[in-house]
Amino acid sequence: MSETTPGGADLAARAAALDTADPLAKLRDRFALPDGLVYLDGNSLGALPAAVPGAVEDVVRRQWGELLIRSWDESGWWTAPERIGDLIAPLIGAAPGQVTVGDSTSVNLFKALVGAARLAAPGRTRMLVDATTFPTDGYIAASAARLTGLEVVPVDPSDAAAHLTDTTAVVLLNHVDYRTGRLHDLPALTRAAHASGALVVWDLCHSAGALPVGLDAHDVDLAVGCTYKYLNGGPGAPAYIYVAQRHQGAFDSPLPGWNSHVEPFAMTPEYEPAQGAARTRVGTPDILSMLALEAALGAWEGVDVADVRAKSLALTDFFLECVAAYVPEGAVEPVTPAPHAERGSQVSLRTANARAVMTELIARGVIGDFRAPDVLRFGFTPLYVSFADAERAARTLGHIFG
């Protein structure tokens, strides 16, 4: 395959021009990326922010090695879950005091679903659950439903509003579908849930850090998300949970731990929850990974999520254009919606022998990922992915099929 489309446009030259004009291009220097590699898997694991290794070394050598237990106070370990939550808050459209960092997404989802069920009006019996959700969300929802006596009703998110009734207690939806990259209408679906008297829990794993979310603006009740994808917190980085301020006083966590006690060091046998977001805590914070995340979030300094969204859409548009130019017709089928209002920050392509194709792409220095049975996924993280990366990825894909 040549670098020129049949129509004569030089896509490589266009990519260079787009990168020159890109106001976010300089942010790539905030990350430690291997030379010569196109990394389009930030929707699974974000790249390493350059500030993280030094920060982790300080945590290990000085804060732990020298200060020892004094670091709970002197280094701010004790307040890290809420402090780092407040760093994430503006990236998901939340005011301070509503986001707590800690535990995994699965654990936080369990807290959110059971907590939402306990907040729901009496007599409601159903939990609507995104039928296309990441499997763990389904497993957790089923367990939460058993605990709270609710019936799980699987729904297609695009049709969820039609299934809402006065028996619906809780709705669990993904903001972006992990397979297809489809973006669901958070504002409209939240309004519909509230109109039926239900509470809504949103999974933001594939949207936070890639596009505006607007939790407060859209009156979302609860939300959870991971930090190792577009937020670049590192493998297994702690997740977060959002509980809207209006619900915090009545939020009844199914996992009350000593860390969420109003007086954790009183060691009393009776449990009394802390006020505010701290009542979502459970056990001792995972300090090493949490403070690595705090350093990673420094890469967002001065960044407007609206600008990130604009670049994300431009990148995915350009990539799809390049795929159409370089890849033989019929070799791949885009499954990510074309309309911007329905697209997250990834492009998924369906093709035969997808696993082998992705293996070959990776061997040629283009890293995306594969989802069974036939989907190639390419995640576009605007903080460090360039238009040249998008052009090279599509051109390499064309070479494989050519």
Side-chain angles (χ1 to χ4, degrees), residues 107-120:
V107 171
N108 283 332
L109 182 61
F110 182 74
K111 295 181 218 172
L113 287 174
V114 175
R118 291 173 175 174
L119 287 166

Side-chain angles (χ1 to χ4, degrees), residues 175-212:
H175 198 189
V176 174
D177 185 283
Y178 80 102
R179 284 192 187 89
T180 66
R182 175 180 290 275
L183 172 65
H184 297 298
D185 192 341
L186 180 148
L189 288 166
T190 300
R191 286 194 301 270
H194 289 170
S196 75
L199 287 88
V200 63
V201 178
W202 283 95
D203 183 327
L204 308 178
C205 284
H206 288 269
S207 60
L211 52 91

Side-chain angles (χ1 to χ4, degrees), residues 231-324:
L231 298 180
N232 310 296
Y240 58 89
I241 179 170
Y242 163 91
V243 179
Q245 189 172 37
R246 66 186 180 277
H247 292 310
Q248 289 177 0
F251 181 78
D252 181 10
S253 173
L255 297 172
W258 77 283
N259 243 243
S260 62
H261 196 285
V262 67
E263 293 186 70
F265 292 100
M267 303 298 175
T268 60
E270 299 80 19
Y271 179 75
E272 181 181 350
Q275 296 301 306
R279 68 172 52 197
T280 62
R281 292 169 66 155
V282 183
T284 305
D286 39 354
I287 291 300
L288 296 182
S289 57
M290 190 169 292
L291 297 189
L293 168 62
E294 184 173 32
L297 292 169
W300 286 91
E301 183 178 357
V303 178
D304 188 326
V305 179
D307 293 336
V308 171
R309 176 59 168 165
K311 182 177 176 182
S312 165
L313 292 172
L315 278 168
T316 49
D317 279 344
F318 184 63
F319 177 70
L320 286 166
E321 181 183 350
C322 291
V323 168

Side-chain angles (χ1 to χ4, degrees), residues 227-238:
T227 62
Y228 48 79
K229 299 182 190 295
Y230 295 110
L231 298 180
N232 310 296

